[in-house]
């Protein structure tokens, strides 16, 4: 049986160029913070990867390498110089864990409903929702409003970086393994180091732990392969797929990306859909989280106002750089045959 992987929002395969870059990085095994010649060589390679990542992302601020998006979110929310944390109700669980006790703001039709009094506040908003593909609208305008009010905007770009341009923000979060880079590395983008309180250690004193040089080199190589123009599917082929499953797509905003789809079946539960599709050779995930053997409604879908019955029949299908049009056609036929 030929397997078709359609769970790229969870993690996507390593690009060959990233693998080759990592193999080179493993030959530079010294600690980049060591003062000897080997350490200096490793440091030079790390700084080269940093500049390449910034260039590929189009970011002219600072870049702190982290172990992934979760750590980047934690640094941004817990080391930034602000006394108030406000997050949207549809953010990823990793962000909510990084900001316990944060205020929550609703999202309606893809628009964040900003509260009053944002001076000294950190506003955290996603670029692309990881469960439905809904895109947060007018992040640039939100950044201006937050800045004018004396606050900071943190954009979680985990599902958008390497596919869309970065939104205007004071801080941004990127995850390498969502765009063809290695697992175990990500980045916190900061417009100015002065926004953060240093903690000592590495990465200019803003992060603990030895830098992951092979990961950084793989990260840079993956970003340099380009955005969706470098994917196996064309924009037209992804649009054709979206049109083919439009009747079942879960709509949670005004604009959705063309690579993450929440699909709702008329009668079959998400759990049954996962089992049946997996047996047919398709790797997808649920729009609801499984906990203690009980299918519980996703907090994100709940915040989007999705009815319990619909949420219980929703799965997620997500595309990546190596997804082919033939694979999408195969899934479409399998989906239409699910009764």
């Amino acid at each position: 049986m030929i397997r078709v992987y359609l769970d790229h929002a969870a993690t996507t395969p390593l690009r060959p160029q990233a693998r080759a870059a990592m193999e080179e990085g493993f030959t530079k095994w010294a600690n980049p913070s060591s003062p000897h010649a080997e350490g200096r060589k490793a440091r030079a390679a790390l700084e080269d990867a940093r500049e390449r990542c910034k260039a590929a992302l189009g970011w002219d601020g600072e870049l702190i390498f982290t172990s992934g998006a979760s750590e980047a979110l934690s640094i941004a929310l817990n080391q930034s110089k602000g006394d108030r944390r406000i997050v949207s109700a549809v953010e990823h669980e990793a962000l909510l864990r990084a900001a316990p006790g944060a205020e929550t703001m609703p999202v309606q039709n893809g628009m964040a409903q900003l509260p009053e009094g944002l001076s000294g506040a950190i506003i955290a908003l996603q670029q692309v929702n990881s469960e439905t593909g809904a895109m947060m609208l007018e992040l640039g305008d939100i950044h201006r409003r937050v800045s004018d009010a004396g606050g900071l905007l943190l954009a979680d770009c985990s599902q958008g970086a390497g596919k869309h341009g970065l939104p205007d923000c004071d801080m941004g979060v990127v995850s390498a393994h969502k765009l063809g880079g290695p697992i175990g590395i990500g980045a916190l983008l900061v417009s100015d180091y002065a926004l953060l309180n240093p903690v000592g250690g590495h990465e200019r004193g803003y992060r603990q732990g030895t830098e992951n040089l092979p990961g950084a080199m793989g990260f840079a190589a993956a970003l340099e392969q380009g955005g969706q123009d470098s994917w196996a599917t064309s924009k037209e082929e992804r649009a054709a797929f979206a049109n083919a499953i439009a009747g079942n797509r879960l709509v949670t905003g005004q604009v959705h990306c063309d690579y993450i789809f929440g699909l709702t079946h008329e009668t079959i539960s998400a759990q049954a859909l996962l089992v049946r599709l997996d047996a047919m050779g398709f790797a997808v995930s649920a729009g609801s989280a499984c906990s203690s053997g009980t299918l519980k409604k996703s907090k994100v879908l709940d915040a989007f106002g999705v009815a319990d019955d619909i949420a219980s029949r929703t799965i997620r299908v997500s595309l990546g750089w190596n997804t082919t049009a033939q694979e999408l056609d195969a899934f479409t036929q399998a989906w239409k045959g699910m009764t």
Side-chain angles (χ1 to χ4, degrees):
M1 177 190 298
I2 297 176
R3 298 286 302 177
V4 175
Y5 183 79
L6 294 173
D7 195 20
H8 294 266
T11 193
T12 200
L14 191 65
R15 284 183 179 262
Q17 298 87 348
R19 183 186 299 276
M22 291 182 72
E23 290 174 352
E24 179 187 353
F26 285 124
T27 69
K28 299 177 174 65
W29 43 264
N31 189 322
S33 295
S34 297
H36 46 62
E38 289 82 0
R40 295 195 302 273
K41 182 178 180 180
R43 169 60 60 182
L46 182 71
E47 296 309 317
D48 177 68
R50 192 188 312 276
E51 293 305 313
R52 289 164 56 200
C53 285
K54 288 168 58 176
L57 288 166
W59 180 255
D60 58 6
E62 309 294 346
L63 185 151
I64 299 170
F65 284 122
T66 67
S67 62
S70 294
E71 185 190 10
L73 289 167
S74 181
I75 293 173
L77 290 164
N78 296 300
Q79 291 175 217
S80 52
K81 297 176 180 178
D83 54 12
R84 186 181 176 193
R85 304 291 183 268
I86 305 172
V87 306
S88 88
V90 298
E91 297 302 311
H92 192 279
E93 189 67 29
L95 188 147
L96 301 179
R97 286 195 299 267
E103 300 173 46
T104 302
M105 59 182 163
V107 172
Q108 295 178 359
N109 245 357
M111 289 289 294
Q113 308 301 299
L114 292 175
E116 299 296 326
L118 299 178
S119 178
I122 310 297
I123 310 297
L125 291 171
Q126 60 195 205
Q127 183 181 23
V128 178
N129 184 265
S130 64
E131 293 192 31
T132 70
M135 300 185 69
M136 191 69 68
L137 300 180
E138 300 183 12
L139 278 174
D141 180 62
I142 290 172
H143 181 227
R144 287 189 292 273
R145 292 167 58 192
V146 171
S147 296
D148 290 346
L152 299 173
L153 177 63
L154 166 64
D156 182 359
C157 305
S158 299
Q159 297 292 350
K163 307 173 185 78
H164 305 285
L166 294 175
D168 290 339
C169 58
D170 299 291
M171 295 181 285
V173 169
V174 182
S175 176
H177 76 103
K178 306 291 189 181
L179 51 84
I183 292 173
I185 191 161
L188 173 61
L189 310 176
V190 189
S191 61
D192 192 323
Y193 282 134
L195 300 179
L196 301 175
N197 293 307
V199 296
H202 300 278
E203 289 298 282
R204 276 67 168 180
Y206 294 96
R207 177 184 182 263
Q208 306 281 348
T210 301
E211 294 96 338
N212 177 1
L213 175 57
M217 293 174 66
F219 192 0
L223 280 169
E224 288 172 341
Q225 301 317 302
Q228 289 181 284
D229 289 343
S230 69
W231 284 19
T233 51
S234 66
K235 181 179 181 180
E236 292 73 22
E237 288 168 335
R238 295 191 298 273
F241 175 68
N243 184 63
I245 49 86
N248 297 106
R249 186 170 195 179
L250 185 64
V251 177
T252 57
Q254 297 180 46
V255 179
H256 290 72
C257 70
D258 64 355
Y259 51 89
I260 299 177
F261 302 84
L263 295 184
T264 302
H265 197 276
E266 292 84 352
T267 58
I268 305 175
S269 72
Q271 194 170 32
L273 287 167
L274 291 183
V275 172
R276 289 177 60 177
L277 286 167
D278 188 47
M280 296 167 67
F282 298 96
V284 298
S285 63
S288 301
C290 217
S291 177
S292 303
T294 302
L295 200 63
K296 294 185 177 181
K297 185 180 180 182
S298 160
K299 293 180 181 178
V300 168
L301 297 187
D302 195 42
F304 273 129
V306 178
D308 291 355
D309 180 55
I310 294 175
S312 71
R313 293 180 279 109
T314 298
I315 64 169
R316 180 184 70 186
V317 174
S318 49
L319 287 53
W321 64 270
N322 64 342
T323 303
T324 66
Q326 291 74 24
E327 289 175 332
L328 296 181
D329 288 342
F331 176 83
T332 300
Q333 294 306 312
W335 177 259
K336 290 181 176 179
M338 301 287 284
T339 58

